[in-house]
Amino acid sequence: MKVISTKNNLQVLHEDNHLIVVNKRVGDLVQGDKTGDKPLSEVVKEYLKEKYNKPGEVFLGIVHRLDRPTTGIVVFARTSKALTRMNELFSNRETKKTYWAVVKNKPEKSQAQLVHYLKRNEKNNTSKAHSKEVPDSKLASLDYSIIKELTNYFALEINLHTGRHHQIRAQLAAIGCPIKGDLKYGFDRSNPDGGIHLHARKLVFVHPVSKESLSITAPVPDDVIWKAI
């Protein structure tokens, strides 16, 4: 059964005066869109307002996004100073992002680097991975390794070198390994909760204000396949 995050069940992974990091559930929308559904950013604001008894509007900056059907680490900034610095860290690729994905088909190699040129299609909100540069495409790079062989699936650990639209989903689909539940990228059936088996597992970065190194890990969703990993 799908559970949407609320201020009462929010999974907070790290919280200080400048940042709040949460574990996003399937279906949580990070930022408001045309659906009009309440975004996670508003839920976090409600949580902070209640916890710290804040009058008026709560400041919360969106640092990065995760696709709606995915789960895992999302960072929000609680001050404008932290937001500016976190935006710089992400745009300069000074963060280390690790994802876990579950695929049905075994990749040809147990570990490899994937380099493609991704072209976004705004109409159907997908990205296509090309082996050579095409007009309006962007370089996309990641490396993966198989971390566990399950009965019918393979669990991969992925380190991103770039942060493109639907990058992991498009690049894995391009090597014949669409992510479990990802109909948009060629998996044959959806997951009961409408999500996909892609989880932002770990994020390592230097705190924008205290300058200490932070390593945050998000527990996997409560699901038979994730638990097997």
Side-chain angles (χ1 to χ4, degrees):
M1 197 182 93
K2 185 156 79 173
V3 179
I4 299 285
S5 293
T6 67
K7 67 179 195 301
N8 301 318
N9 69 8
L10 198 63
Q11 298 178 22
V12 179
L13 303 172
H14 173 88
E15 187 179 343
D16 61 45
N17 291 336
H18 296 279
L19 299 175
I20 180 165
V21 184
V22 300
N23 191 7
K24 176 183 146 3
R25 294 177 166 93
V26 162
D28 286 344
L29 184 65
V30 174
Q31 187 178 23
D33 69 0
K34 59 181 184 289
T35 60
D37 295 346
K38 183 193 273 188
L40 193 55
S41 53
E42 288 304 313
V43 172
V44 175
K45 279 185 186 179
E46 286 174 1
Y47 162 86
L48 292 168
K49 192 176 175 72
E50 189 173 284
K51 181 172 179 180
Y52 298 105
N53 204 7
K54 282 180 175 285
E57 182 72 11
V58 174
F59 177 87
L60 193 75
I62 296 168
V63 175
H64 64 124
R65 291 156 194 77
L66 275 188
D67 300 339
R68 194 164 189 173
T70 63
T71 55
I73 295 171
V74 180
V75 182
F76 295 100
R78 293 187 57 196
T79 60
S80 53
K81 181 163 134 182
L83 178 62
T84 305
R85 291 187 182 170
M86 286 305 294
N87 282 340
E88 284 169 4
L89 284 182
F90 272 81
S91 64
N92 297 335
R93 300 181 196 153
E94 291 170 36
T95 58
K96 187 171 187 290
K97 303 178 201 166
T98 304
Y99 287 76
W100 281 3
V102 175
V103 298
K104 190 175 184 175
N105 303 328
K106 186 176 185 176
E108 223 172 89
K109 297 175 178 167
S110 60
Q111 56 184 67
Q113 182 177 0
L114 301 182
V115 178
H116 291 97
Y117 291 89
L118 254 57
K119 183 166 180 172
R120 187 169 179 174
N121 180 336
E122 299 281 354
K123 273 196 189 124
N124 62 10
N125 191 33
T126 58
S127 285
K128 185 164 171 56
H130 298 267
S131 55
K132 293 190 172 70
E133 197 168 357
V134 297
D136 303 322
S137 64
K138 291 179 174 171
L139 179 71
S141 167
L142 60 79
D143 58 62
Y144 73 83
S145 56
I146 297 174
I147 50 171
K148 187 142 190 189
E149 294 197 17
L150 305 165
T151 313
N152 296 309
Y153 301 101
F154 297 88
L156 311 180
E157 184 166 281
I158 294 141
N159 289 303
L160 275 183
H161 307 147
T162 53
R164 305 297 182 206
H165 175 256
H166 289 186
Q167 180 178 338
I168 297 172
R169 299 166 68 180
Q171 286 197 274
L172 289 180
I175 61 162
C177 300
I179 294 166
K180 184 180 181 301
D182 200 356
L183 296 178
K184 206 170 230 187
Y185 286 93
F187 201 81
D188 55 3
R189 345 183 257 291
S190 58
N191 287 341
D193 63 4
I196 63 174
H197 274 72
L198 177 63
H199 181 67
R201 173 68 174 167
K202 192 175 177 189
L203 184 67
V204 180
F205 62 97
V206 173
H207 191 284
V209 181
S210 71
K211 302 301 180 198
E212 66 179 313
S213 180
L214 280 182
S215 176
I216 297 166
T217 301
V220 292
D222 187 11
D223 157 290
V224 178
I225 292 172
W226 282 127
K227 294 294 182 198
I229 303 167

